[in-house]
Amino acid sequence: MKPHPLYFERGAGSRLWDVDGNEYLDFVLGWGPLILGHSHPALTEAVGTQLPLGQTFGSGHAAEYEVAEQICAAYPGAERVLWSNTGTEAVQVAPRLARAATGRTAVVKFEGHYHGWSDQLLLGYRPDTDGALTGLGSRGQHPRSPDDILLLRWGDLDRLREALSGDTDIAAVFTEPALCNSGVIAPPDGLLAELRELCDRAGTMLIFDEVITGFRVAYGGGAARYGVRPDLAVFAKALAGGFPLAAVAGRGELIDQVTAGVVHAGTYNGNPIVLAAAGATLRELARPGVYENFEALGGRLAAGIADAFFRHGRDGVVNQIGPVVQGAPGLTRLDDFAAFLSVDWPDYDRIVVELLRRGIFCLPGGRWYLSTAHTTADIDRAVDAFDEALTATIG
C-alpha cells in the first residue's frame, strides 16, 4: 500500500479511523468483503446473538442448512452448497469435484483471472519477471504446477474449441464471469454462453469464480447478471460481510461426490458465528432496491472519475460493473487483459497517495468497491478528491 501500510482502530458504515484519529472514506472495504460497510447493525446483532450459544460444534447445526438454502434460492442452478473458509480453499475443491466427475485431469484457466494463491492455479495472473504469462506466480511454487493447466487468452474460443475437441482431457474450464481482478471487464457478448455450449458438448465442467462477483454484481452473481449457469461456482468476499467464509455451490450430483470418496475437509467449515453473519448479510442484500442503488452509485463514481480525466486533458478509462469500479490512467480503452497491463501504474500510485491525503482510502491497482453504506454524498466527495488528486499529480 502506498505510501506505506496504515493501521486502523475502528470502522463504521463507509468510514475508517486510523490509530492517529484520521478519518477516511473507505473504498477498499477489506479488499471487498464489507459489502454492508463496517459494523452493520444487522450483522453485529446476528453475530452477537450466536456468540454465547457456541463458537463451533464439530457437527451439524441449523445455520448450515438455512444459509445454504438462501444461496440455492439466489444463485441460478445451485442445488447443493459446500462450506469453506476462504476463496483459495474453495477454489481447490471445485476442480477436484470436476476431475472426479469426468475422470479427466486438465483444467483451462484464462490469463489475468485470479483464482487464489494455491500452487495449482496461481498461473498467468500477472507477468513473470521475464514478461511471460505462462510461468509460476510465486517463488517456492511447485515447478510442475503448470503441467495440468491450459492457460488461454480470455475470449480465444478457437483455442478452446481445439482443446475441447476429440478425446479431450479437460475436466473443467475455470473463469471469472466478469474479469474483476484485472480491469473490471465485462465478458464480451456471447462469450459465457459459448463457454457453456462448448463445455456441454465436451462433457467438461464450467466453473465460475464468483469470489468478487457473487452477491455483488447481482444477488445471483455473474450467473444471474449474464444469464449463464455454471456447473459449479465459488463464493467468498461479500458472502459473509467481512467474516471468513467461502462456499462452492452447484449441481447436486457433482457436490454429492463428497459423500462418495471426494475429500472436502476443514475444521472451521460451516462455523456457526460466520454463518450467522452470512445469513444477516444475505437478508440485507435481498432487500428491494439494493442492486439498483449499487448501479446508480457505481455509475455516478465511474462518470465522475471519467469526467475528471477529461477535464484535466488526461487519457483515462473507467469501467464499472455494479458496485465495482476500475480507474485506468493513460489508456483510451480497457477491454482486455493486455490493455490492463499497459495502465500507467506509477501514475495511479501517485493518485492513490493524493487521495489518501484527502481522506479517501483506495486500493492499489485501480479498483474501487462500494457498499450499501455509501451515499451519494460519499461519492461526490470522492470524485472531488479525485479531481484534486489529478491536479496534484500533474507533471
Side-chain angles (χ1 to χ4, degrees), residues 214-347:
F215 299 100
R216 191 186 309 276
V217 302
Y219 190 60
R225 187 178 183 107
Y226 300 114
V228 175
R229 296 185 178 189
D231 297 294
L232 296 169
V234 179
F235 304 92
K237 288 195 186 290
L239 180 56
F243 283 77
L245 178 66
V248 179
R251 289 167 43 196
E253 68 269 24
L254 296 178
I255 291 181
D256 285 347
Q257 293 177 109
V258 299
T259 67
V262 173
V263 174
H264 169 64
T267 299
Y268 298 105
N269 292 350
N271 178 276
I273 295 171
V274 173
L275 286 175
T281 299
L282 296 183
R283 286 191 293 273
E284 290 300 311
L285 292 176
R287 293 183 181 277
V290 166
Y291 290 90
E292 291 82 357
N293 193 50
F294 275 157
E295 291 291 344
L297 290 182
R300 190 180 187 95
L301 178 61
I305 294 174
D307 286 347
F309 281 131
F310 179 78
R311 286 194 303 272
H312 286 268
R314 296 172 66 167
D315 286 339
V317 176
V318 186
N319 286 346
Q320 176 237 340
I321 304 175
V324 193
V325 174
Q326 173 76 45
L331 298 186
T332 57
R333 68 170 187 88
L334 179 52
D335 54 9
D336 60 24
F337 182 48
F340 177 78
L341 294 178
S342 67
V343 172
D344 187 344
W345 293 120
D347 185 31

Side-chain angles (χ1 to χ4, degrees), residues 27 29 44 47 50 52 60 63 74 100 151 192 223 259 263 267 278 292 323 380:
F27 294 94
L29 297 177
T44 57
V47 171
Q50 177 58 45
L151 186 63
L192 298 181
T259 67
V263 174
T267 299
E292 291 82 357
D380 291 346

Side-chain angles (χ1 to χ4, degrees), residues 110 113 152-161 188 191 195:
F110 298 104
H113 292 231
L152 299 180
R153 179 179 58 83
W154 201 41
D156 189 346
L157 292 175
D158 289 338
R159 287 285 311 282
L160 185 59
R161 289 189 191 99
L191 174 62
L195 293 183

Side-chain angles (χ1 to χ4, degrees), residues 36-95:
L36 303 182
H38 294 270
S39 301
H40 189 285
L43 186 72
T44 57
E45 180 182 0
V47 171
T49 299
Q50 177 58 45
L51 271 171
L53 301 179
Q55 291 72 56
T56 191
F57 303 126
S59 190
H61 56 90
E64 285 185 311
Y65 302 94
E66 292 167 355
V67 184
E69 288 170 352
Q70 286 176 275
I71 291 178
C72 289
Y75 195 77
E79 298 171 334
R80 302 281 194 280
V81 175
L82 288 178
W83 296 120
S84 192
N85 301 289
T86 69
T88 293
E89 287 182 35
V91 157
Q92 293 180 75
V93 74

